[in-house]
Amino acid sequence: NPLVNWLSVHGIDWAIKLAVAIAIFVVGRWIVGLITGLITRALNKAKVDPTLTGFLTKITHVFLMVAVVLDSLGIKTTGLVAILGAAGLAVGLALQGSLSNFAAGVMIIIFRPFKVGDFIDAGGVKGIVEGISIFNTNMRTPQNQVVIVPNGQVGGGTITNFSVKETRRIDLTMGVSYDDDLRVAKETIWK
């Protein structure tokens, strides 16, 4: 039987390679968890924004796990880089809007024109920022509505952050009749 002959000749080599690949994956996964845990603790200790901490931890975890999987399978990365480049171009053209939102989300997280809790006017919406993710920003309007604004829309326009300064100037126009007493009008306005 050819299968039995192949197993008797190559079975031990194949079993050893499988055991090594599984061991590399298990140990690599443990090391990735350890590294991402250390990064999270370091960023939290440095009082980095939780949104940026989560983003950096997830990106690091994904890249390290891809490296572990490739290493455990014994895949050479040189040829894979060319394949990933071509696939990335095709996916980039297909997901142009999503990539725009992703890029804007990364820029918002890095440059921090606003943070969670700020009252802003961005993307045509005024509201309190309740969450910033990679693809969109969640805002609560003064009417208590939750609006999810794509980050491409937020980052591509003007952002007005009303919460940065402690005080704000408000211009009010009040009409006073020519017949009214100006002293009484001023006292009434200042009260």
Side-chain angles (χ1 to χ4, degrees):
N1 188 356
L3 179 61
V4 172
N5 290 337
W6 185 87
L7 284 175
S8 66
V9 174
H10 300 291
I12 294 174
D13 291 338
W14 185 79
I16 290 172
K17 288 180 182 177
L18 180 63
V20 168
I22 291 172
I24 289 172
F25 180 76
V26 169
V27 171
R29 188 171 173 202
W30 177 76
I31 291 172
V32 166
L34 185 68
I35 291 170
T36 53
L38 289 172
I39 290 171
T40 302
R41 281 193 293 276
L43 292 173
N44 286 338
K45 191 173 183 179
K47 296 182 181 176
V48 175
D49 186 74
T51 307
L52 182 59
T53 300
F55 171 71
L56 291 175
T57 303
K58 286 178 186 175
I59 292 293
T60 304
H61 182 81
V62 168
F63 280 129
L64 291 176
M65 281 307 295
V66 167
V68 165
V69 169
L70 292 178
D71 191 42
S72 66
L73 295 176
I75 296 174
K76 302 285 185 212
T77 57
T78 53
L80 187 64
V81 169
I83 293 170
L84 287 176
L89 179 63
V91 170
L93 292 173
L95 299 173
Q96 191 172 7
S98 295
L99 289 176
S100 170
N101 289 334
F102 176 80
V106 169
M107 299 306 281
I108 289 169
I109 290 172
I110 290 173
F111 292 112
R112 303 186 44 139
F114 55 85
K115 63 183 184 308
V116 173
D118 284 355
F119 185 81
I120 65 169
D121 181 2
V125 178
K126 285 185 181 179
I128 297 172
V129 177
E130 292 198 325
I132 305 166
S133 69
I134 291 299
F135 291 103
N136 53 50
T137 298
N138 296 341
M139 294 171 37
R140 183 172 32 90
T141 66
Q143 294 81 22
N144 206 27
Q145 300 168 332
V146 174
V147 180
I148 300 169
V149 185
N151 283 339
Q153 194 173 333
V154 172
T158 303
I159 300 170
T160 305
N161 190 337
F162 298 100
S163 300
V164 172
K165 301 293 182 184
E166 289 183 20
T167 57
R168 281 177 253 164
R169 176 180 150 176
I170 299 176
D171 294 330
L172 297 174
T173 305
M174 299 186 185
V176 179
S177 172
Y178 289 113
D179 298 335
D180 290 336
D181 185 358
L182 288 178
R183 226 175 316 115
V184 173
K186 284 181 183 179
E187 290 172 5
T188 305
I189 291 171
W190 285 108
K191 289 181 184 179

